[in-house]
Amino acid sequence: MKQYDYLVVGAGLFGSYFAYRAKKNGKKVLVIEKRSHVGGNLFCESIEDINVHKYGAHIFHTSNKEVWNFVNSIVEFNRYTNSPVASYGGALYNLPFNMNTFYALWGTKTPEEARMKIEEQRKASGIVTPKNLEEQAISLVGKDIYEILIKGYTEKQWGRDATDLPAFIIKRLPVRFTFDNNYFNDKYQGIPIGGYNKLINGLLEGIDVRCNIDYFSNRQSLSLLADKIVYTGKIDEFYDYCYGKLDYRSLRFEHEILNIPNFQGNAVVNYTDKTVPYTRIIEHKHFEFGQQPNTVITKEFSLEANSNTEPYYPVNDEKNNTLYKKYKQIAEMEQKVIFGGRLAEYKYYDMHQIIEIASKLEI
Ligand code: FAD
Ligand code: UDP
């Protein structure tokens, strides 16, 4: 008999939540993590008494009451509502695309005026069935918004022309004909009071966890420890890149402590102009309505992932999706390995989707 029922590779949200469920079901679980800490990209570090989202801003949002109740049973969430602002050419615009944005750009005061403006621009573009991100964006919000608020940001973020990117990426953002700057349409949203580490530590309570262990540095002996493996790392790496490498986008974060209480008056400001090298600046204290005397900001720079940088975003274009399908085919034949999460399923999952998917797995 093996020492553990499950070896979970990766202590991100997927791995931590799976381990939590397995323990509840009476299973013995070992979680290994190659970073020096648990939490994956949700990890926060306390700097100046502010929970700094070390791997990018994370706002939990869901319309699924069970998911919301579950995460709140581990840690209570606050009522933070994400309302990013976009900066372009020295002017500020509200996001997501709504009546405030339309008014600032065009002076349109009614939903009908705004709709007419968009329709006029959509017609002029001649797009009938959008085939890529650019066409999808122009169909949804017209050419002006595409040029000012989408094209530059998107091409920086993905390192590809907007015409080479899938349409679904832009459909993540609401388009609203009301004066409502809430970035999400979901029923529930917020930030764990005291930071995301409370969520992850709550999930991993009482579970064997070993950090600083890369599964691939000792694959054979680690695999012998458990009956089954739950793998949340990159799927192409699991198969030693046998069909070739999948593309991922990486990020570089520049964190700064400023001796002022409030730098930008908002947690998230996007820089949509291509000439600004970063995509957004995060001011972390605003996620928890912080009143600390100083502030911490993070500039986010996007780059292509390579063997020395962390993979954050799967690039779900046609070429990569086709390659992923080949890996998925062999993954489906595995009897003793469960693949889950953003990297192992090569999908642009948000946190609530991770919980939804992992909650359905048979343990
Ligand atoms: P990860 O967090 O990537 O966890 C995988 C873990 O496995 C990592 O800790 C990694 O180090 C470890 N690992 C990998 N390979 C190995 C190995 N060989 N051996 C040992 N360990 C290994 N979602 C939202 O809902 N709202 C948001 O606002 C939001 N903002 C985001 C902003 C950014 C910048 C990013 C990158 C993501 C954001 N997300 C957001 C998505 C969210 O981060 C993911 O849904 C979630 O973290 C996925 O969890 P995961 O466990 O699949 O992946
Ligand atoms: N996007 C944009 N302008 C913005 C914000 C987002 O064009 O000001 C586009 C961009 O292509 C981005 C996508 O919308 O990748 C999804 O945005 P989201 O904020 O969901 O990105 P994430 O937080 O996942 O990085």
Side-chain angles (χ1 to χ4, degrees), residues 57 86 95 97 133 149-151 153-155 157-158 165 169-170 172-173 183-184 270-272 280 300 313 342 348 350:
L95 292 172
F97 315 117
L133 195 153
L149 299 177
I150 298 176
K151 185 175 162 61
Y153 186 99
T154 295
E155 295 188 345
Q157 163 71 10
W158 295 98
L165 288 164
I169 293 177
I170 201 67
R172 286 169 60 84
L173 310 192
Y183 202 56
F184 302 114
N270 291 355
Y271 286 81
T272 57
R280 47 192 173 191
E300 211 171 292
Y313 293 91
R342 241 191 200 202
Y348 194 172
D350 280 329

Side-chain angles (χ1 to χ4, degrees), residues 93 98-110 114 179:
Y93 300 91
N98 72 80
M99 288 300 291
N100 290 308
T101 332
F102 308 145
Y103 177 68
L105 263 172
W106 301 317
T108 48
K109 291 185 184 140
T110 64
F179 291 90

Side-chain angles (χ1 to χ4, degrees), residues 6-67:
Y6 290 105
L7 170 74
V8 176
V9 179
L13 185 61
F14 190 98
S16 302
Y17 177 56
F18 184 94
Y20 171 92
R21 285 195 59 220
K23 180 169 181 275
K24 282 256 166 197
N25 285 1
K27 305 290 183 191
K28 281 181 285 171
V29 190
L30 172 64
V31 180
I32 58 164
E33 167 57 54
K34 70 175 176 185
R35 296 184 191 173
S36 61
H37 57 77
V38 296
N41 296 331
L42 277 58
F43 175 70
C44 293
E45 187 182 326
S46 179
I47 303 174
E48 298 286 320
D49 204 25
I50 296 163
N51 289 310
V52 173
H53 297 209
K54 290 294 285 222
Y55 302 96
H58 278 72
I59 301 103
F60 201 99
H61 56 97
T62 181
S63 291
N64 183 324
K65 197 169 184 177
E66 277 176 36
V67 168

Side-chain angles (χ1 to χ4, degrees), residues 158 160 247-249 304 313-317 320-321 346:
W158 295 98
R160 286 154 177 78
D247 295 328
Y248 300 86
R249 287 300 282 175
E304 201 70 9
Y313 293 91
V315 181
N316 290 112
D317 60 10
N320 283 290
N321 284 347
Y346 202 67

Side-chain angles (χ1 to χ4, degrees), residues 56-122:
H58 278 72
I59 301 103
F60 201 99
H61 56 97
T62 181
S63 291
N64 183 324
K65 197 169 184 177
E66 277 176 36
V67 168
W68 184 243
N69 287 345
F70 172 73
V71 292
N72 274 273
S73 75
I74 305 291
V75 53
E76 193 186 339
F77 278 60
N78 71 17
R79 43 144 288 269
Y80 172 80
T81 300
N82 197 29
S83 306
V85 168
S87 169
Y88 179 91
L92 297 178
Y93 300 91
N94 288 114
L95 292 172
F97 315 117
N98 72 80
M99 288 300 291
N100 290 308
T101 332
F102 308 145
Y103 177 68
L105 263 172
W106 301 317
T108 48
K109 291 185 184 140
T110 64
E112 203 192 334
E113 281 170 26
R115 275 186 207 279
M116 272 167 54
K117 193 88 190 162
I118 291 172
E119 186 53 19
E120 201 180 281
Q121 298 195 355
R122 193 194 61 75

